Every structure is written in C-alpha cells, then in structure tokens.
C-alpha cells in the first residue's frame, strides 16, 4: 500500500487486482472515481462490490490481461456511477494493474462536436452534409429499394425576416424544426438544408405514403406560429422525387425534387408537385441549352430581330425594339422565352449585353434619315447590365463607334430589374439620360408599380403590359382593364411620361388603347419581330376603322 501512495497525486486512477480479483492496492484517484474509501475496498472482490461490471466490456478487458498476458482496453458507460470510464488493464505477476480515467466530460464534448458536424444548430435537425451522406448510402450504395424525397421551401418566410428581423425569423425556424422532428420515425427522416429549405425522405415508402406525408407537412406548416416576437402563419411548397423512378443517383434525386419544388412555388405556393418523365425531359433540354450557351456568343449564334413601334399621334412607325434570338445549330431559331433565364445566369451574359447595345446602335445608324426625327431603337437590359458595368460609358463608346447620336437609343428596364437595387439602377439610368438616351419602364403594372419609386426613377415612358391590353376586349375583364389602363395613362401624363401599349394584336385592341389615350403601340398587329432588312422606318400602316381617330402627318 505504501508503494501506491506515491500514485495518489496523478490524475489517473490506479488499482491492483490479485488473481482472485480482489483489490490489492488502490490510489486516491481511483477511490474517488469509484466513490468508495480505499480501506472499504481492499481485500474485497471487484465483482461483488461492482456486480454491474460482470458481462461488460470492462470485465472483458480485465480478463484478457489476466488470461492472455495481453493488455486490454475498454471505454464504456457505467450506469451505477453515471460515468463514462476509460480503462487500460495490464498483466503483472500478482494479477492485473488497471488504469482508470473519467472521460465523461471529454465524451460529452466529443458527442457535442459530433452532433454539430451532423445537425443544424438552430433547429436540431440533421444538416445538409449528413443528408448527402445518408442519401449516398441509401441510393448510390443500394441501402434501400426506393427513397421518396420531399424538398420543402417555406412560403412567406422572407416576409417575417423583412418585417420582424432575423432573430424573429430564427424563432420561427426553431418552431418549424420541432414540427419536423415530430414527424421523424424509423423510415422518415427530416433535415434542414439551409435558410428556409428542408428535406424529408421516406425509405421504402408504401403506395401513396409520400403524398400523405407531403399533405401532413403542408398542414403542420399552416398551423399558427406564436413566439415572443412573432405571430404568423406560413405555407410550404413541396417538390417530390422518387428513386429509382425519377432519379438514378442521390444528387439527381435531390436536384429533381428541388426542380419540382420550384414549379410548386411558381404555381402559387402551398402545393405539391412531383417530378415526372416530362420534367426529366425538360430538365435535360435546359441542361443542354446551358452547356450550348457557353460557346454561342463566340460562334456568333446570337442575332437581333426588331419589332416596329407605332406612334398613334402621327400614325408612323417611329422606332423598333431589338429582341434577342439564338440561332441554335440544331434547334433552329430560339426566342428569349426558351433560353433567356439561362443566359442571365451565365457568365456570358455581360458580354452579350454589351454586344446587344453595340449592334442595336450600328443598326440604328443605318436607319437614320437626315430630315426626319431620330428613328429610335429600344433594347431591354437586365439588372446585371444596368448595375454591374459603367452603362453610360458603354453607350457613349458604342454610339461614337456607330457614328450616331446616343439619343436614338431607348433603354427598357423591368420593374423587377430596377427594384433589385434601386439606388444603383437610378444612378446608371440618370447617367445615360444625360447622354440623350430615353428610358422606358417595361411590363408596367405586373411588378411593384409603386408611386414612391416611379416619381424618383429617371423614366421617360411606361410600357403598359400586354395582359391589360388583351383584357380590354374580353367581356368579363374589359371594365376592370379599361379602368387600369386609364389610370396608367393619367399617371404617366401627370409625370410627363409617354405610354406605349404592348401586345396589340387586333384592330379592336388598337382602337381601344387609342381611345384611352396611349401615345404608341407595339404588337403583332403592327408587326412581328423580323430581321433588320424588313423594318420600314417611318412607315404609315393602315388598319381601317381602328385608325379613324389617328392623325396622319402631312
């Protein structure tokens, strides 16, 4: 025992067991860990004093050292003492020497770090990294016969962040996390993949089970939320994909469910959309277009078509809008609706925007006539082009190179593009207006339509969206549409702006927008988008009765 006193000052517990498994020596640390005075244990059998050791990994380590002469180790939880112990047992002449250490705190730290690596700290749900690992095991490595994956995006969550702040948003996300946690079973797992996006997957789901779970998610999300800072109600847009029916690997499964969710969101939210064969074909087509876009500009596959614009006061074509077309080598001539959203996401768009302005001004130079008013050419620019380049310098350089005044150019911007960064857009557009360029607000009435920004934005003209024009001739909507168009025209006049009615396709529509006071029109009735050689500047088209109220210049 005296030999052991020197070990009382080390942090590890040390105990000596004889060949009959009785305590022969024990230092102060071991006595503290075992919660017994050393004197009470000496000479007593360890199995009798601590019977829960029998059959444990601790006993296996001790017996290995005693019976084989090889050291034994074990780390386990010993319930009677509510402690995690790490033990190392070494053979000796008289029995076994055991080093014992309390690793409860270290174990807790390790588990906490491990949980942080696999779980979202805010909601407690499993995180994206662990989701991908589990999907790879289930799908790519054949861990499951089928997996249904629900990609979930909260509806109206941004409103909470914007109105109450991110701290309040975090409170709401914690509540949402609890609701997802309540759904978890052996086959159903829930994850937070970031922001207000979540994933639920079901392993080996029965027929219709995924649809039932999706409906349950929507129902849970609609339940009112009340926190110290927020009282709100949310919705959920859900996309569903199933392995192996609509995906062949983990990445594809997640991506396809995300795509289906996007369609649910675009359809108005609080809906469920499944990814099917048509979606797969559409996605493959988009992926092909995205890849082909990388070399389209260098291969000179882009071209401009022009749609004429008619002045209702003079009855003459006074300008044309330049519209981008992609002459795809296999798919033929593609309209912007087929590829523009992909182009806007592409690094190639910045160069394409500059090319569009330069080409439009070169064409405008060819259309000008010395004794006529400038024949205008309109180009529609994205938020990227407006905000991320020196637009005034670009226009000035292009106009000089084309030998034409910048005043022939009309820049069209949408309300959405302006509001993405109002200050930057306003500065850029003010700068080009100082060059003589006119600015038109495109698709007016479909975006923010705020008087507050309209009065501060440097705009010369508003283009009334075609949806209002088309409703003018429909019995069920004509009165409302007429009131809307009248209001827009009155607003434009009050602010000193012109109005252009878009999407005029019939003489009846032309007559109505003329009666309502629009200054100009554009649409298939006036002319479809065509190549530059087919545009006739200053032409005076005739439309019979519809033009009876339009004055003709001498």
């Amino acid at each position: 025992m005296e030999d052991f006193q020197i070990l009382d000052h080390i942090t590890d517990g040390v105990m000596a067991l004889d060949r009959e498994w009785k305590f022969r020596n024990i230092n102060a640390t071991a006595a503290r860990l075992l919660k017994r005075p050393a004197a009470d244990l000496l000479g007593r059998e360890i199995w009798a004093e601590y019977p829960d050791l029998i059959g444990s990994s601790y006993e296996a380590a001790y017996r290995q050292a005693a019976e084989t002469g090889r050291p034994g180790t074990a780390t386990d939880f010993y319930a009677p003492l509510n402690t995690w112990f790490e033990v190392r047992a070494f053979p000796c002449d008289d029995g076994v020497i055991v080093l014992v250490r309390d690793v409860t705190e270290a174990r807790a730290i390790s588990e906490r770090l491990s949980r942080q690596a696999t779980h979202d700290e805010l909601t407690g749900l499993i995180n994206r990294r662990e989701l991908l690992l589990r999907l790879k095991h289930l799908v790519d490595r054949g861990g499951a016969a089928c997996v249904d994956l629900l990609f979930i995006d909260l509806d109206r969550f941004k409103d909470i962040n914007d109105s109450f702040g991110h701290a309040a948003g975090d409170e709401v996300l914690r509540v949402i996390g609890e609701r997802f946690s309540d759904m978890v079973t052996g086959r159903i797992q829930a994850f937070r993949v970031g922001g207000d996006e979540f994933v639920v997957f079901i392993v080996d789901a029965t027929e219709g089970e995924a649809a039932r779970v999706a409906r349950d998610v929507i129902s849970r999300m609609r339940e009112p939320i009340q926190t110290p800072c927020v009282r709100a109600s949310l919705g959920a847009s859900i996309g569903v994909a199933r392995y192996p029916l609509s995906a062949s690997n983990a990445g594809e499964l997640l991506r396809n469910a995300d795509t289906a969710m996007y369609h649910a969101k675009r359809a108005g939210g609080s809906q469920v959309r499944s990814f099917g064969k048509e979606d797969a074909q559409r996605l493959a087509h988009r992926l092909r277009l995205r890849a082909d876009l990388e070399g389209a500009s260098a291969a000179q596959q882009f071209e401009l078509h022009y749609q004429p614009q008619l002045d209702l006061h003079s009855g003459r074509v006074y300008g044309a809008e330049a519209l981008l077309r992609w002459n795809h080598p296999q798919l033929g001539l593609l309209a912007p609706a087929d590829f523009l959203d992909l182009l806007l996401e592409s690094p190639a768009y910045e160069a394409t925007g500059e090319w569009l302005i330069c080409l439009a001004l070169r064409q405008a130079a060819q259309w000008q006539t010395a004794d006529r008013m400038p024949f205008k050419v309109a180009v529609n620019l994205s938020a990227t082009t407006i905000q991320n380049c020196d637009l005034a310098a670009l226009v000035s350089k292009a106009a000089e190179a084309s030998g034409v005044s910048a005043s022939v150019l009309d820049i069209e911007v949408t309300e959405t593009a302006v509001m993405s960064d109002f200050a930057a857009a306003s500065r850029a557009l003010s700068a080009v207006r100082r060059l003589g360029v006119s600015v038109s607000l495109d698709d007016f009435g479909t975006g923010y339509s705020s008087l507050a920004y309209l009065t501060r934005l440097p705009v010369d003209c508003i283009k009334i969206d075609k949806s209002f024009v088309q409703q003018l001739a429909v019995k069920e909507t004509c009165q409302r549409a007429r009131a809307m168009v009248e209001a827009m025209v009155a607003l434009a006049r009050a602010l000193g702006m012109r109005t252009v009615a878009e999407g005029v396709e019939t003489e009846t529509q032309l007559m109505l927008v003329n009666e309502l006071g629009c200054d100009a029109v554009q649409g298939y009735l006036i002319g479809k988008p065509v190549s530059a050689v087919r545009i006739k500047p200053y032409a005076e088209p005739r439309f019979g009765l519809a033009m009876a109220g339009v004055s003709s210049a001498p």
Side-chain angles (χ1 to χ4, degrees):
M1 185 68 180
E2 291 180 359
D3 293 339
F4 252 60
Q5 289 178 351
I6 196 172
L7 301 177
D8 286 345
H9 302 290
I10 69 172
T11 56
D12 284 353
V14 183
M15 55 189 186
L17 304 173
D18 64 19
R19 295 188 180 280
E20 295 180 351
W21 301 107
K22 294 179 180 180
F23 288 99
R24 185 162 54 84
N25 280 309
I26 183 170
N27 74 344
T29 303
R32 177 174 55 80
L33 294 176
L34 296 177
K35 299 182 180 180
R36 295 278 295 277
D40 288 356
L41 294 174
L42 292 176
R44 296 179 181 272
E45 185 188 81
I46 190 172
W47 316 126
E49 300 302 313
Y50 297 94
D52 288 272
L53 289 176
I54 297 173
S56 70
S57 61
Y58 300 120
E59 181 189 16
Y62 299 164
R63 292 194 182 278
Q64 176 178 306
E67 296 170 4
T68 69
R70 292 184 290 106
T73 61
T75 301
D76 208 341
F77 182 71
Y78 188 63
L81 297 179
N82 195 34
T83 305
W84 280 88
F85 289 115
E86 176 187 86
V87 300
R88 288 170 290 168
F90 301 92
C92 64
D93 292 340
D94 300 326
V96 175
I97 298 293
V98 178
L99 303 183
V100 58
R101 178 179 297 174
D102 181 351
V103 294
T104 304
E105 185 176 351
R107 184 83 180 189
I109 293 173
S110 176
E111 289 180 352
R112 187 162 59 249
L113 291 174
S114 176
R115 181 173 178 81
Q116 288 175 353
T118 58
H119 286 70
D120 173 56
E121 186 176 358
L122 182 64
T123 63
L125 297 173
I126 306 169
N127 61 22
R128 181 184 181 88
R129 175 180 174 274
E130 185 66 14
L131 164 67
L132 296 176
L133 291 174
R134 296 189 184 190
L135 280 180
K136 286 181 180 179
H137 168 72
L138 291 170
V139 175
D140 297 347
R141 298 170 189 162
C146 69
V147 177
D148 288 83
L149 190 142
L150 284 60
F151 200 105
I152 303 152
D153 184 270
L154 300 181
D155 298 330
R156 301 184 299 280
F157 178 74
K158 185 178 183 297
D159 296 340
I160 293 175
N161 270 344
D162 292 345
S163 301
F164 301 100
H166 290 280
D170 287 349
E171 290 180 3
V172 170
L173 288 174
R174 290 189 189 96
V175 174
I176 296 299
E178 291 172 1
R179 293 181 182 179
F180 277 115
S181 295
D182 291 341
M183 300 178 62
V184 172
T185 65
R187 293 186 303 106
I188 300 176
Q189 298 182 34
F191 308 79
R192 183 188 179 205
V193 295
D196 59 349
E197 294 181 334
F198 299 82
V199 162
V200 170
F201 70 58
I202 312 163
V203 179
D204 297 334
T206 57
E207 183 70 27
E209 186 176 5
R212 290 193 297 273
V213 172
R215 290 193 297 270
D216 186 27
V217 169
I218 289 180
S219 176
R220 289 172 184 263
M221 296 306 107
R222 284 176 175 168
E223 293 176 7
I225 295 172
Q226 186 165 349
T227 74
C229 297
V230 181
R231 293 181 64 184
S233 178
L234 300 176
S237 298
I238 303 177
V240 182
R242 181 181 178 88
Y243 165 81
L245 184 63
S246 57
S248 59
N249 57 59
E252 199 173 84
L253 180 65
L254 191 63
R255 184 170 60 250
N256 291 353
D258 188 11
T259 298
M261 181 279 294
Y262 175 74
H263 291 310
K265 181 74 81 174
R266 290 192 66 180
S270 292
Q271 299 187 40
V272 181
R273 289 286 184 273
S274 294
F275 189 91
K277 290 183 178 179
E278 291 184 0
D279 298 292
Q281 292 171 352
R282 185 163 50 246
L283 181 61
H285 179 68
R286 285 176 62 82
L287 291 174
R288 175 189 177 180
L289 290 181
R290 181 179 282 115
D292 291 347
L293 273 171
E294 294 182 6
S297 181
Q300 299 182 334
Q301 294 171 5
F302 292 126
E303 58 186 64
L304 291 182
H305 283 202
Y306 298 86
Q307 186 171 35
Q309 297 170 319
L310 179 73
D311 183 271
L312 291 178
H313 302 294
S314 67
R316 292 185 178 130
V317 173
Y318 71 94
E321 180 180 356
L323 299 168
L324 187 64
R325 295 291 186 266
W326 180 9
N327 198 349
H328 193 283
Q330 284 83 42
L331 303 175
L333 197 64
L334 301 180
D338 298 319
F339 67 89
L340 188 57
D341 59 334
L342 296 175
L343 180 60
L344 291 174
E345 298 170 358
S346 168
Y349 181 73
E350 184 174 348
T352 305
E354 295 180 11
W355 167 85
L356 189 155
I357 292 172
C358 293
L359 183 59
L361 283 171
R362 285 201 299 270
Q363 181 57 55
Q366 297 177 33
W367 280 332
Q368 302 311 308
T369 302
D371 58 347
R372 297 270 196 168
M373 291 288 290
F375 190 79
K376 303 282 284 187
V377 177
V379 294
N380 201 312
L381 300 183
S382 72
T384 302
T385 302
I386 296 169
Q387 298 165 15
N388 295 351
C389 72
D390 188 340
L391 184 60
L394 172 61
V395 170
S396 179
K397 182 179 178 181
E400 183 178 356
S402 302
V404 69
S405 169
S407 62
V408 303
L409 184 65
D410 179 59
I411 289 179
E412 296 187 3
V413 294
T414 63
E415 298 173 70
T416 303
V418 169
M419 293 307 293
S420 64
D421 189 338
F422 183 87
S426 184
R427 285 194 300 270
L429 295 176
S430 294
V432 294
R433 284 184 85 212
R434 288 193 288 271
L435 299 174
V437 175
S438 59
V439 176
S440 296
L441 195 59
D442 199 16
D443 301 335
F444 186 74
T446 62
Y448 296 86
S449 302
S450 166
L451 290 177
Y453 84 77
L454 189 58
T455 57
R456 293 185 287 120
L457 192 66
V459 168
D460 303 284
C461 174
I462 61 174
K463 300 187 73 174
I464 299 172
D465 186 69
K466 64 181 180 181
S467 60
F468 299 103
V469 174
Q470 291 168 354
Q471 290 172 20
L472 284 172
V474 178
K475 182 178 180 180
E476 292 79 10
T477 59
C478 61
Q479 288 186 341
R480 180 181 176 87
R482 185 182 183 92
M484 293 293 292
V485 173
E486 281 182 326
M488 293 181 204
V489 171
L491 175 62
R493 286 179 177 171
L495 296 174
M497 301 175 185
R498 283 168 49 84
T499 52
V500 177
E502 297 183 285
V504 174
E505 299 179 354
T506 67
E507 291 197 16
T508 300
Q509 291 171 351
L510 177 61
M511 179 179 65
L512 290 171
V513 296
N514 184 40
E515 288 178 359
L516 294 172
C518 291
D519 298 298
V521 292
Q522 177 180 342
Y524 280 7
L525 179 66
I526 313 305
K528 295 182 179 181
V530 293
S531 60
V533 296
R534 296 177 60 188
I535 291 291
K536 297 179 180 179
Y538 315 109
E540 299 181 33
R542 296 297 178 185
F543 302 100
L545 182 63
M547 295 298 292
V550 178
S551 61
S552 295

Coordinates of all heavy atoms in Angstrom, one line a residue, residues 76 90 93 107 110 129 138 160 164-165 185 201 237 282 285 310 452 468 493 520 542:
D76 N -16.5 2.7 -21.8 CA -17.9 2.3 -21.7 C -18.6 3.2 -20.6 O -17.9 3.9 -19.8 CB -18.1 0.9 -21.4 CG -19.4 0.3 -21.9 OD1 -20.3 1.1 -22.2 OD2 -19.5 -0.9 -22.0
F90 N -3.3 -4.1 -17.5 CA -2.0 -4.7 -17.8 C -1.7 -5.9 -16.9 O -2.0 -5.9 -15.7 CB -0.9 -3.6 -17.6 CG -1.1 -2.4 -18.4 CD1 -1.8 -1.3 -17.9 CD2 -0.6 -2.3 -19.7 CE1 -2.0 -0.2 -18.7 CE2 -0.8 -1.2 -20.5 CZ -1.5 -0.1 -20.0
D93 N 2.7 -9.9 -12.2 CA 3.0 -11.2 -11.6 C 1.9 -11.6 -10.6 O 1.5 -12.8 -10.5 CB 4.3 -11.1 -10.8 CG 5.5 -11.0 -11.8 OD1 5.3 -11.3 -13.0 OD2 6.6 -10.6 -11.4
R107 N -16.2 12.8 -23.3 CA -17.2 12.2 -24.2 C -18.3 13.1 -24.6 O -18.7 13.1 -25.7 CB -17.7 11.0 -23.4 CG -18.7 10.1 -24.2 CD -18.0 9.1 -25.0 NE -18.9 8.3 -25.8 CZ -18.6 7.3 -26.5 NH1 -17.3 6.9 -26.5 NH2 -19.5 6.6 -27.1
S110 N -17.0 15.4 -27.2 CA -16.9 14.7 -28.4 C -18.3 14.5 -29.1 O -18.5 14.7 -30.3 CB -16.2 13.4 -28.2 OG -16.2 12.6 -29.4
R129 N -25.0 18.3 -45.0 CA -23.8 17.4 -45.2 C -24.2 15.9 -44.8 O -23.9 15.0 -45.6 CB -22.7 17.8 -44.3 CG -21.5 16.9 -44.3 CD -20.4 17.5 -43.4 NE -19.2 16.6 -43.3 CZ -19.2 15.6 -42.4 NH1 -20.2 15.4 -41.6 NH2 -18.1 14.8 -42.4
L138 N -28.0 5.2 -49.1 CA -29.3 4.6 -49.4 C -29.5 4.4 -50.9 O -30.0 3.4 -51.4 CB -30.5 5.4 -48.9 CG -30.6 5.5 -47.4 CD1 -31.6 6.6 -47.0 CD2 -31.1 4.1 -46.8
I160 N -41.3 37.5 -42.9 CA -41.1 37.5 -41.4 C -39.7 38.2 -41.2 O -39.6 39.0 -40.3 CB -41.2 36.1 -40.8 CG1 -42.6 35.6 -40.9 CG2 -40.7 36.1 -39.4 CD1 -42.8 34.2 -40.4
F164 N -39.8 41.6 -39.1 CA -39.5 41.4 -37.7 C -38.0 41.3 -37.4 O -37.6 41.4 -36.3 CB -40.3 40.2 -37.1 CG -41.8 40.4 -37.2 CD1 -42.4 39.7 -38.2 CD2 -42.5 41.2 -36.4 CE1 -43.8 39.7 -38.4 CE2 -43.9 41.2 -36.5 CZ -44.5 40.5 -37.5
G165 N -37.2 41.0 -38.5 CA -35.8 40.8 -38.2 C -35.4 39.3 -38.2 O -36.2 38.5 -38.0
T185 N -39.6 9.1 -37.9 CA -39.8 7.7 -37.4 C -38.6 6.9 -37.9 O -37.6 7.5 -38.4 CB -41.1 7.1 -38.0 OG1 -41.0 7.1 -39.5 CG2 -42.3 8.0 -37.7
F201 N -37.2 12.6 -46.2 CA -37.2 11.5 -47.1 C -37.8 10.2 -46.4 O -37.7 10.1 -45.1 CB -35.9 11.2 -47.8 CG -34.7 10.7 -46.9 CD1 -34.8 9.5 -46.2 CD2 -33.5 11.4 -46.9 CE1 -33.8 9.0 -45.4 CE2 -32.4 10.9 -46.2 CZ -32.6 9.7 -45.4
S237 N -44.1 25.0 -50.0 CA -44.1 24.5 -51.4 C -43.3 23.2 -51.4 O -42.1 23.3 -50.9 CB -43.6 25.5 -52.4 OG -44.4 26.7 -52.4
R282 N -37.6 18.0 -69.8 CA -37.4 19.4 -69.8 C -36.1 19.8 -69.2 O -35.4 20.7 -69.7 CB -38.6 20.1 -69.1 CG -38.6 21.6 -69.1 CD -40.0 22.2 -68.8 NE -40.5 21.6 -67.6 CZ -41.6 20.8 -67.5 NH1 -42.3 20.6 -68.6 NH2 -42.1 20.4 -66.4
H285 N -33.3 19.1 -71.5 CA -33.2 20.1 -72.5 C -32.5 21.4 -72.0 O -31.7 22.0 -72.7 CB -34.6 20.4 -73.0 CG -34.7 21.5 -74.1 ND1 -34.2 21.3 -75.3 CD2 -35.2 22.8 -74.0 CE1 -34.4 22.4 -76.0 NE2 -35.0 23.3 -75.3
L310 N -45.4 51.9 -83.2 CA -46.2 52.9 -84.0 C -46.6 54.0 -83.1 O -47.2 53.8 -82.0 CB -47.5 52.2 -84.6 CG -48.4 53.0 -85.4 CD1 -47.8 53.4 -86.7 CD2 -49.8 52.4 -85.5
A452 N -44.1 55.7 -55.2 CA -43.0 56.2 -54.5 C -41.7 56.1 -55.3 O -40.9 57.0 -55.4 CB -42.8 55.5 -53.1
F468 N -53.0 43.6 -69.8 CA -54.0 44.6 -69.7 C -54.7 44.9 -71.0 O -55.9 45.0 -71.1 CB -53.5 45.9 -69.1 CG -53.0 45.8 -67.7 CD1 -51.6 45.7 -67.4 CD2 -53.8 45.6 -66.6 CE1 -51.1 45.6 -66.2 CE2 -53.3 45.5 -65.3 CZ -51.9 45.4 -65.1
R493 N -49.2 60.8 -67.8 CA -49.3 62.2 -68.2 C -49.0 63.2 -67.1 O -48.3 64.2 -67.3 CB -50.7 62.5 -68.7 CG -50.9 61.9 -70.1 CD -52.3 62.1 -70.6 NE -52.5 61.6 -71.9 CZ -53.7 61.5 -72.5 NH1 -54.8 61.9 -71.9 NH2 -53.8 61.1 -73.8
A520 N -48.5 55.4 -78.1 CA -47.9 54.5 -79.1 C -48.3 53.1 -78.8 O -48.8 52.7 -77.7 CB -46.4 54.6 -79.1
R542 N -51.9 51.1 -92.4 CA -53.3 51.4 -92.3 C -54.1 50.2 -91.7 O -53.9 49.1 -92.0 CB -53.9 51.7 -93.7 CG -53.3 52.9 -94.4 CD -53.6 54.2 -93.6 NE -52.9 55.4 -94.1 CZ -52.9 56.6 -93.6 NH1 -53.5 56.7 -92.4 NH2 -52.3 57.6 -94.2

